[in-house]
Amino acid sequence: LSSSSAASDVYKRQAPDGPPPGSPLAGASAAAVNPAALTADGASAGGAMTGRVDRQRADSIPAFLTLPRAPPVPLALTDSPRVAELLTMARASWDFDALELDALTSGHALVALGEHVAGGAADALGLRRPALRAFLSALEGSYRIDAPYHSAAHAADVLHGASWLLHEGALPAGLCAAAGAGGGEPPPLVVLAVAIAAAAHDAAHPGVNADFLIRTGDPLALLYNDQSILENMHAAICFQLLNDCDTDLLGPLSAAPVSYTHLTLPTKRIV
């Protein structure tokens, strides 16, 4: 169950080739990207580095940083009358079946719901729809298929819950008005931020908790010094995708002035 030694086929969906051009790992050795590239005597297949160096590099690079990107999900898989009906229900009701949506879209519930939730906000912010689909597809592809709970369908379920609560008034009306959102609706930047956070919140989750990773000496625990290991990993995946040229969803915002307001939102403990 080690997060660093897992083969790429445990992740949900991946493209056939290596890291995309421009990725920090694009020039890495074969052994650094794939520990299987080491020969039986420990030397790298290319012979350029010692087996010890390559093995150390392979063990120190988390699998989630070395895997190729999942390609954009075909539109045909998320476009059907029943899918449209479910997505409409998702906005109107807390009772939403993410597993049904996942089955109807051949395992792409996160992409379908993500576009439905964040599409309008992306349009309002001048972001490109193809970039949104590429980002959601790559993010969905980072979820592991051997983690029965922390799956992409679970992420879609959390995305629905977060979006529904947001539109049902979880954000103070005064903030909506201050941001220029009419009718008490949350501003587009908030909608997009919540959607991205919910969709990415368990990316590449190995199916074990932080204590397990610490006690087994997992490279992720070493990488993050035993501090918020999984949360740091999820955030790292999200930001890496947002910085890659083919999934750079927020690129158009980087040149625009953005004002930030520090907020203390009221919370309610539910038992």
Side-chain angles (χ1 to χ4, degrees), residues 70-83:
V73 173
L75 290 171
L77 292 179
T78 58
D79 185 17
S80 74
R82 179 54 182 160
V83 168

Side-chain angles (χ1 to χ4, degrees), residues 6-17:
S8 62
D9 59 3
V10 303
Y11 290 82
K12 187 167 176 60
R13 257 163 244 102
Q14 300 300 334
D17 300 316

